[in-house]
């Protein structure tokens, strides 16, 4: 997780639901929905919140996407980012370019698997972080999380050992769907070393939110996360290399029911 989306994607969910249903879900309601592990797509999450509220008739998904995108981008998603006036302008970065330089200096390859739209990802990675041609699989380029297809595709392209085997890979995410994706990848490719690292999203940080954050982190652990970190920036290369060298930190997850 490299940006705080509480004032952008999360806000777009709230305002999209308000646009169609006349009410604004609380952040805890969105967290609870996300904790189910099936609602990584914020368009679908917005529609599901409306459905559970009992709104009839429900808007079409295309209509939800149109409203959501206008709120989030505030302009043509495929146009010049300088023309975007939406919530995307309210995304504090959680790491800086030096974070990735430090990983590279330690011999750690990196890439991104995101459920966000490609224009949003490219804007953050290339324009704001200054990364050059970063390895990226974004929305529409692979099935949505928790499907492991995109993650495995990226994992297998990041590098191999001298003998031709795949290198161990860790994925850091902030949702149960992210953890479930790694668990599904393990089931599909038990020959690979795949670690799930997790972090609570920024809107749950702060002394007054300690209890809510603890509950969220416990959901991540229950889903199978090998480690729960205090923040993305706290990930140290030496510690990561130790974890990758040690292999899985938890017992393999049971087969999906």
């Amino acid at each position: 997780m490299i940006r705080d989306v509480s004032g952008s994607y999360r806000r777009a969910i709230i305002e999209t639901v308000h646009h169609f249903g006349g009410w604004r879900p609380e952040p805890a309601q969105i967290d609870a929905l996300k904790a189910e592990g099936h609602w990584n797509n914020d368009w679908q999450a917005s529609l599901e919140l409306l459905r559970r509220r009992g709104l009839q008739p429900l808007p079409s998904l295309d209509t939800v996407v149109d409203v959501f995108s206008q709120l989030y981008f505030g302009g043509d998603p495929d146009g010049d980012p300088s023309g975007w006036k939406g919530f995307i302008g309210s995304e504090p970065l959680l790491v800086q370019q030096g974070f990735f330089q430090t990983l590279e200096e330690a011999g750690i390859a990196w890439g991104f698997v995101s459920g966000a739209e490609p224009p949003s990802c490219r804007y953050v990675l290339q324009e704001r972080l200054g990364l050059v041609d970063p390895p990226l699989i974004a929305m529409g380029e692979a099935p949505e999380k928790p499907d492991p297809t995109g993650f495995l595709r990226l994992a297998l392209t990041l590098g191999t050992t001298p003998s031709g085997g795949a290198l161990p890979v860790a994925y850091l995410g902030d949702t149960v769907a992210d953890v479930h994706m790694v668990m599904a990848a393990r089931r599909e490719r038990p020959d690979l070393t795949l670690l799930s690292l997790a972090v609570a999203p920024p809107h749950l940080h702060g002394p007054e939110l300690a209890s809510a954050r603890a509950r969220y982190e416990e959901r991540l652990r229950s889903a199978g996360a090998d480690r729960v970190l205090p923040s993305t920036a706290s990930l140290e290369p030496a510690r990561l290399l130790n974890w990758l060298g040690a292999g899985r930190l938890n017992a393999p997850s049971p087969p999906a029911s």
Side-chain angles (χ1 to χ4, degrees):
M1 183 174 184
I2 61 173
R3 53 178 165 168
D4 181 351
V5 299
S6 57
S8 59
Y9 276 113
R10 289 295 184 106
R11 184 180 173 191
I13 291 175
I14 292 170
E15 295 304 325
T16 297
V17 170
H18 180 260
H19 175 87
F20 291 104
W23 65 286
R24 290 183 172 88
E26 295 294 327
Q29 292 176 284
I30 299 174
D31 286 340
L33 184 71
K34 294 280 188 177
E36 295 176 11
H38 310 296
W39 307 105
N40 191 68
N41 183 309
D42 288 343
W43 303 333
Q44 296 281 4
S46 301
L47 191 58
E48 180 64 12
L49 286 166
L50 290 166
R51 187 191 69 79
R52 295 187 184 189
R53 186 74 171 190
L55 181 68
Q56 293 294 333
L58 284 173
S60 68
L61 180 59
D62 286 344
T63 304
V64 169
V65 171
D66 287 343
V67 170
F68 189 103
S69 295
Q70 184 57 40
L71 288 165
Y72 178 74
F73 286 103
D76 181 3
D78 296 317
D80 186 345
S82 65
W84 294 344
K85 307 301 181 184
F87 300 160
I88 191 173
S90 302
E91 291 183 339
L93 294 176
L94 302 177
V95 294
Q96 299 299 322
Q97 186 185 63
F99 175 82
F100 301 99
Q101 293 174 340
T102 300
L103 293 177
E104 288 179 359
E105 290 168 359
I108 300 171
W110 45 265
F112 304 90
V113 180
S114 175
E117 307 92 321
S120 173
C121 293
R122 288 193 296 268
Y123 173 68
V124 171
L125 298 177
Q126 297 177 352
E127 300 296 328
R128 297 191 63 195
L129 281 170
L131 303 178
V132 179
D133 195 24
L136 167 67
I137 296 178
M139 176 187 283
E141 298 173 345
E144 295 175 1
K145 305 172 191 176
D147 187 291
T149 302
F151 170 57
L152 285 172
R153 185 191 306 163
L154 183 63
L156 293 170
T157 61
L158 286 178
T160 58
T161 65
S163 62
L167 289 168
V169 175
Y171 185 86
L172 175 60
D174 69 342
T175 68
V176 169
D178 291 325
V179 180
H180 283 174
M181 177 184 69
V182 179
M183 299 302 105
R186 286 183 183 176
R187 292 190 292 269
E188 188 169 322
R189 290 296 305 268
D191 56 309
L192 303 180
T193 297
L194 305 171
L195 302 184
S196 172
L197 307 180
V199 59
H203 70 270
L204 291 177
H205 290 245
E208 73 281 3
L209 297 168
S211 296
R213 177 180 171 184
R215 289 193 296 270
Y216 192 97
E217 291 177 341
E218 183 54 38
R219 293 189 189 110
L220 295 171
R221 292 188 184 92
S222 296
D226 294 299
R227 294 278 184 177
V228 175
L229 307 181
S231 68
T232 300
S234 71
L235 181 62
E236 299 174 353
R239 183 171 295 179
L240 175 58
L241 287 170
N242 285 336
W243 292 340
L244 290 171
R248 298 176 190 174
L249 303 172
N250 286 340
S253 298
S257 57

